[in-house]
Amino acid sequence: MSLAGQASETAKFSAARDRCMGAGQCVLAAPAVFDQDEQEGLVLVLDENPPAAQSDAVRQAVRACPSGALALRR
């Protein structure tokens, strides 16, 4: 299952729960955008269209994801 969001007008992100290993680095980097579900600890997207002010945090979350479950698309 993938969820898509927009971190700014030009940077879009995707979160692939099937690739997530539950490390939680996305939550640490961008807690306003990402969380983990209570059952499996997998990524949840809280804000599919975060404001541009969250763009740097989303980019950091993508870089910090050890499983590659998060990706930026242009």
Side-chain angles (χ1 to χ4, degrees), residues 12-61:
K12 296 181 181 181
F13 70 90
S14 62
R17 287 178 51 91
D18 59 340
R19 293 191 66 183
C20 180
M21 59 188 256
Q25 297 303 305
C26 57
V27 179
L28 293 173
V33 180
F34 301 105
D35 199 356
Q36 292 175 276
D37 69 43
E38 290 187 22
Q39 291 181 340
E40 298 175 318
L42 302 179
V43 64
L44 292 174
V45 176
L46 299 176
D47 189 350
E48 293 186 17
N49 296 299
Q54 290 294 319
S55 182
D56 287 342
V58 169
R59 283 181 171 80
Q60 176 60 33

